[in-house]
Amino acid sequence: MSVCAAVLAGATVLFSSPTAWADFVPGGEGTASETQVDGGQEDRTVSATAGAVVFDRSNNGSGQSAGPVASATNWTPPACYYAPKYTPEQLQKALEPVWQAESTGYQWDAEQRDKYVNGHPYKDFNKEKSGDGYWWDSYVTDGREGDPGALDCTKPPFWVDTDDDPPADIPQAITPEVLAQLAYAEIRVPSTEVDLAPENATKVNLPTWAWLDGAKFKPVSVTASVPLLGVQATTTAEPVSVEIDPGTADAETYPASGVCEIENGAIGEPYAQGKADETPPCGVKYLRSSGDGSYQLKATVTWKIHWTGTGVDGEQNLPDGAFGGEQDVVVQEIQAVNR
């Protein structure tokens, strides 16, 4: 199925304001290369345009403590990509001043004129195809400007007809899968401070129950779309487990692996009266006092990440992500009573 021929009505393309895209569509007034967040909001929960791509973050995690997930592998979302950038008239407006300045050298300028003006292979910037396609060019993913991968997109502008897919030999060209990967980088998940019982201070050799607030740890998602092409992808992150690191070797975890799996929509179980003699399904037992200080307990949540998009059947997997947080735990000696 041609991603360019996909019907926009069949995709879930959500963004907050029709003006958000206006400055970036080829033929508009903007540069089609910067990121703009609508409404003057500084957080990352609103919709925004980044080059040709529109991000809808309305179902994303929010708050000051929210952060991006780190891939469990060496994989990272693309640092650059190709997408529509120019109409024929815009490309002419972009290239001719460069040629006239003669700063790139006569030979390069002549080769460019031959390519885009003289019919080898394009004639007069493809103006005869105005409205039937766009010149595609490279974009650098927001926040990845200094990444070595940002230099991977070196191809000069190339033409793609409206009813055609981008060339197969350009892996960074926008497709639903690339959109899903770009949305992955926009995912924000809540901090991973766990609830503990006892709450303020625990005792040596006393099982401490740990659990996560179910209201915070729900699936989050970001939708990335290219309205010009009628394609979109939604990337979703779902919490699946939390790994407890007590912050000291003098401790035991429940379970012994330290990994608490999600069960019935919850990670861990809140402590309730009458359970003092029970083993917590998720927690820790400290074997030594923290003295005058505290231990740094770290809780790292693993998020299963998948996506759906235009022309794709079923959910497609992306590498799991992780996000952790630390908190102080005071551990006291049990005071003996002398009679």
Side-chain angles (χ1 to χ4, degrees):
M1 177 181 181
S2 169
V3 297
C4 297
V7 180
L8 183 59
T12 308
V13 180
L14 305 172
F15 49 101
S16 61
S17 168
T19 61
W21 174 248
D23 286 346
F24 298 88
V25 58
E29 299 299 324
T31 65
S33 62
E34 66 269 39
T35 299
Q36 172 178 312
V37 178
D38 296 334
Q41 301 184 52
E42 294 183 358
D43 63 32
R44 298 182 65 85
T45 63
V46 296
S47 296
T49 53
V53 179
V54 175
F55 292 104
D56 172 20
R57 305 188 186 109
S58 59
N59 294 314
N60 207 5
S62 60
Q64 292 183 346
S65 60
V69 290
S71 170
T73 68
N74 292 328
W75 177 86
T76 57
C80 67
Y81 58 93
Y82 295 94
K85 183 177 285 190
Y86 304 108
T87 63
E89 292 76 12
Q90 281 186 315
L91 184 62
Q92 179 180 13
K93 186 177 180 180
L95 290 183
E96 284 191 338
V98 177
W99 300 340
Q100 292 168 0
E102 298 182 351
S103 58
T104 51
Y106 173 81
Q107 182 176 351
W108 187 87
D109 292 347
E111 290 174 352
Q112 291 285 296
R113 289 181 185 275
D114 197 48
K115 179 176 182 178
Y116 293 109
V117 180
N118 299 333
H120 301 102
Y122 306 110
K123 184 176 181 180
D124 194 21
F125 299 96
N126 247 14
K127 288 181 182 177
E128 65 178 16
K129 288 192 172 184
S130 291
D132 295 327
Y134 298 99
W135 288 103
W136 288 42
D137 202 359
S138 61
Y139 295 87
V140 175
T141 305
D142 186 33
R144 303 284 297 280
E145 290 80 3
D147 192 310
L151 303 176
D152 290 343
C153 299
T154 59
K155 290 185 178 296
F158 55 92
W159 181 266
V160 179
D161 286 337
T162 301
D163 294 330
D164 288 347
D165 288 327
D169 62 345
I170 303 179
Q172 302 96 336
I174 278 293
T175 61
E177 182 174 5
V178 172
L179 284 173
Q181 295 172 0
L182 295 174
Y184 186 113
E186 299 294 318
I187 289 285
R188 297 294 180 269
V189 295
S191 65
T192 49
E193 182 169 330
V194 295
D195 293 304
L196 299 173
E199 182 177 359
N200 296 320
T202 189
K203 305 293 184 182
V204 172
N205 291 322
L206 176 68
T208 301
W209 292 57
W211 67 95
L212 291 172
D213 183 350
K216 290 183 179 179
F217 285 85
K218 294 182 178 180
V220 298
S221 65
V222 171
T223 296
S225 63
V226 180
L228 278 178
L229 305 180
V231 294
Q232 63 85 37
T234 297
T235 298
T236 301
E238 299 182 67
V240 293
S241 65
V242 61
E243 182 175 5
I244 302 293
D245 179 351
T248 174
D250 295 316
E252 298 175 358
T253 56
Y254 306 101
S257 65
V259 177
C260 306
E261 303 287 346
I262 188 168
E263 293 185 12
N264 300 319
I267 297 179
E269 179 183 329
Y271 175 77
Q273 283 189 328
K275 294 185 176 182
D277 296 329
E278 297 182 18
T279 299
C282 182
V284 61
K285 180 170 70 175
Y286 287 96
L287 308 178
R288 187 185 298 272
S289 165
S290 60
D292 295 332
S294 61
Y295 293 122
Q296 290 290 302
L297 181 147
K298 183 175 183 179
T300 302
V301 173
T302 294
W303 297 77
K304 180 178 176 60
I305 301 181
H306 55 83
W307 67 279
T308 58
T310 305
V312 177
D313 294 329
E315 294 179 351
Q316 308 295 314
N317 292 326
L318 286 169
D320 289 349
F323 187 62
E326 294 183 345
Q327 60 199 91
D328 294 331
V329 178
V330 176
V331 182
Q332 302 170 337
E333 296 282 1
I334 297 177
Q335 301 299 316
V337 178
N338 296 319
R339 295 183 183 274

